[in-house]
Amino acid sequence: MKLKKPKLSFWQIFNMNVGFLGIQYSFGLQQTAINPIFLYLGAPEDMLPILNIAGPVTGLVIQPIIGAMSDKTWSKRWGRRKPYFLVGALLGSLCLFAFPHSPVLWFAVGLLWILDAGNNMAMEPYRAFVGDKLPEKQLSLGFQMQSLFVGAGILLANGSIVLFQYWFGGETVEQAGTIPQWLYYSFFIGAFLSLVTILWSVLKTPEIPPSDEELKEINKIKALPLSQRISQPFSEITEAIKNMPKFMWKIGAVYLFQWYALFIYWQFTTPLFKLTMDYSTSEAASQAAKMSLTYNIVTMVVALMLVPLTLKFGGKKIYALSLAGTAIALFTIPFIADPLMVLIPMILFGIGWAAMMGIPYTMVSKIIPQDRRGVYMGILNMMIVIPMGIQTLTFGPIYKYLLDGNAINAMLFAGAFFVIAAILAMRLNVKKSEQ
């Protein structure tokens, strides 16, 4: 029997999503600051993809397992999803504090693995948390509110990088093997936000208790021997994949090209501006942060505007158009040498990012079983990290040998993949009542 959920107010939905601000601040630093740190510590450009493999691997392993485990968790005091994103936030907070102190490249790479594990532990149950709480008619608002906080978190992260580089980095002479002091402050802010925003949502939002049937199943699993309890999440994931709706396979095809292209953009924006604007690493990192700052402002502005548009025209059309707009942005950026004019394509990128962070989750949340929401959201996120993993393993040689080690060619390559993703998105047919 489908559980009838109470309708929540705008501010209740707002409060339950505040924790996403801290998670996405951390993600914003990963997009913009991690690769410059690798470059500061001596990494060659063609090594950037493989150095970022931590995200795909930890996401592939942790998200579905945590999703399956949270489906079968319940504590009267802590709830179902909250214990996982609390532990994840604490782990991420500690890593963010330590990251700018990295003395050598291997230490920074190791910290990225731990940071990604914490972020994945926090993020996956958060997606299920929204689906758990909201009735179907409010799912679009709930996930687009998450999209708004995605924009806000990354906006704050990149805004801090731009400001601190402007205030404290202008006179700094870059030294090989040394991370500039001005970059420390953004990470310290992230360490604070990661934990505090999660605590806000935990304390402000009670979880809905499981039904008697669910509670019986949870207690049954708790009574199993330890070996069976450890293997249970893997069995859940295998069974869920076998019975996965065809619609999710179609989403997976879109995600293959979408997330491969996004990883290229995040990794090669700094090298691009070193090439097209003759910038130093610090100047290029700051310009990359301004790009991210711009598109996340747009994301914040348009995220909730997409709710009525998707209701009127359907998620498929808005999503596909947004991906096409992102492709146009990436085709344009390499040919603009002015640091202000190059921000204009970020309007299209920001609209695309708002759609990517909200619409697919809304569509999927309506078609998956309520009692397996965690594991299916974990599988959906596997569809994000698998393309990222493929990119980290394959794009280094592609960049070096096929694209002549040229960041302009890398950006055009990413744009072409967004075109393919937009075409595939037009296959995402759902029932009219589910759009």
Side-chain angles (χ1 to χ4, degrees):
M1 184 178 72
K2 198 169 183 178
L3 179 67
K4 185 173 177 61
K5 303 171 190 176
K7 185 176 180 181
L8 301 187
S9 71
F10 177 89
W11 290 112
Q12 285 175 312
I13 296 173
F14 181 92
N15 283 331
M16 71 186 291
N17 282 295
V18 165
F20 229 63
L21 179 71
I23 296 171
Q24 293 302 317
Y25 186 103
S26 176
F27 188 54
L29 290 179
Q30 285 184 246
Q31 286 181 11
T32 308
I34 298 296
N35 286 302
I37 284 177
F38 289 162
L39 293 174
Y40 285 126
L41 295 175
E45 288 182 9
D46 62 285
M47 286 291 291
L48 290 179
I50 196 66
L51 292 177
N52 281 269
I53 199 170
V57 172
T58 55
L60 183 63
V61 174
I62 289 174
Q63 291 212 23
I65 292 174
I66 294 297
M69 289 173 65
S70 67
D71 280 342
K72 305 303 181 186
T73 296
W74 176 250
S75 163
K76 289 183 179 179
R77 183 175 182 182
W78 297 107
R80 170 176 283 178
R81 316 292 182 184
K82 290 177 184 179
Y84 297 96
F85 48 73
L86 265 174
V87 173
L90 180 60
L91 196 60
S93 182
L94 293 172
C95 287
L96 287 173
F97 186 82
F99 214 104
H101 297 289
S102 300
V104 289
L105 181 61
W106 67 263
F107 189 90
V109 172
L111 273 179
L112 180 59
W113 279 84
I114 303 170
L115 176 62
D116 264 315
N119 284 344
N120 279 298
M121 187 178 291
M123 188 182 299
E124 196 290 324
Y126 224 122
R127 298 289 192 189
F129 181 56
V130 171
D132 290 343
K133 287 286 292 182
L134 295 177
E136 188 169 308
K137 289 183 179 179
Q138 289 190 303
L139 283 174
S140 182
L141 176 58
F143 284 112
Q144 288 305 139
M145 184 72 78
Q146 276 198 355
S147 184
L148 184 149
F149 277 109
V150 168
I154 300 175
L155 171 69
L156 286 174
N158 287 282
S160 71
I161 291 171
V162 172
L163 286 176
F164 292 139
Q165 197 275 337
Y166 178 75
W167 287 339
F168 307 117
E171 302 299 321
T172 303
V173 177
E174 290 182 13
Q175 298 179 19
T178 303
I179 300 169
Q181 289 284 330
W182 62 265
L183 200 51
Y184 283 46
Y185 310 125
S186 294
F187 281 84
F188 295 162
I189 292 171
F192 173 78
L193 283 179
S194 180
L195 198 54
V196 170
T197 58
I198 286 284
L199 283 171
W200 178 279
S201 291
V202 165
L203 296 174
K204 290 281 186 179
T205 310
E207 293 195 67
I208 297 174
S211 65
D212 291 340
E213 292 80 5
E214 287 178 300
L215 196 57
K216 185 177 179 181
E217 181 66 21
I218 290 168
N219 290 330
K220 182 180 175 183
I221 291 170
K222 283 182 179 179
L224 292 172
L226 180 61
S227 60
Q228 291 185 38
R229 288 168 63 187
I230 291 171
S231 65
Q232 182 69 26
F234 298 96
S235 301
E236 285 281 328
I237 294 164
T238 303
E239 187 65 25
I241 291 174
K242 285 180 182 177
N243 299 315
M244 191 162 66
K246 289 182 180 179
F247 183 83
M248 286 189 68
W249 290 108
K250 292 180 180 180
I251 284 276
V254 178
Y255 272 14
L256 176 63
F257 293 93
Q258 171 186 305
W259 287 98
Y260 193 110
L262 280 168
F263 235 39
I264 294 172
Y265 172 81
W266 291 325
Q267 290 166 5
F268 288 93
T269 312
T270 297
L272 177 73
F273 293 132
K274 290 177 71 174
L275 179 64
T276 60
M277 298 184 186
D278 197 28
Y279 277 167
S280 68
T281 301
S282 285
E283 291 169 329
S286 180
Q287 182 64 37
K290 291 172 187 174
M291 302 288 279
S292 190
L293 192 68
T294 304
Y295 80 72
N296 281 288
I297 289 172
V298 175
T299 295
M300 284 187 64
V301 171
V302 306
L304 298 185
M305 294 181 186
L306 292 180
V307 176
L309 289 175
T310 55
L311 291 173
K312 182 175 182 180
F313 298 106
K316 176 183 76 172
K317 292 178 182 177
I318 301 300
Y319 185 34
L321 282 172
S322 300
L323 293 175
T326 308
I328 293 170
L330 295 189
F331 286 143
T332 306
I333 291 167
F335 303 105
I336 303 175
D338 185 279
L340 290 178
M341 293 295 292
V342 79
L343 300 178
I344 294 174
M346 291 293 96
I347 296 172
L348 288 174
F349 197 107
I351 295 169
W353 186 235
M356 289 178 238
M357 289 292 97
I359 292 174
Y361 293 97
T362 303
M363 298 168 86
V364 169
S365 193
K366 292 178 179 179
I367 63 168
I368 56 179
Q370 185 170 287
D371 61 344
R372 306 184 84 179
R373 193 180 300 277
V375 68
Y376 273 116
M377 284 296 174
I379 291 169
L380 183 62
N381 282 290
M382 285 174 65
M383 295 177 179
I384 294 173
V385 299
I386 288 172
M388 288 182 172
I390 294 171
Q391 191 271 349
T392 61
L393 293 172
T394 62
F395 195 70
I398 290 171
Y399 179 73
K400 187 173 183 178
Y401 298 111
L402 295 182
L403 302 179
D404 297 323
N406 189 304
I408 292 174
N409 294 336
M411 208 60 61
L412 297 177
F413 188 98
F417 266 36
F418 265 111
V419 171
I420 297 171
I423 293 168
L424 291 173
M426 290 304 296
R427 299 170 61 244
L428 299 176
N429 297 309
V430 293
K431 294 177 182 179
K432 193 166 186 179
S433 62
E434 293 177 342
Q435 292 179 347

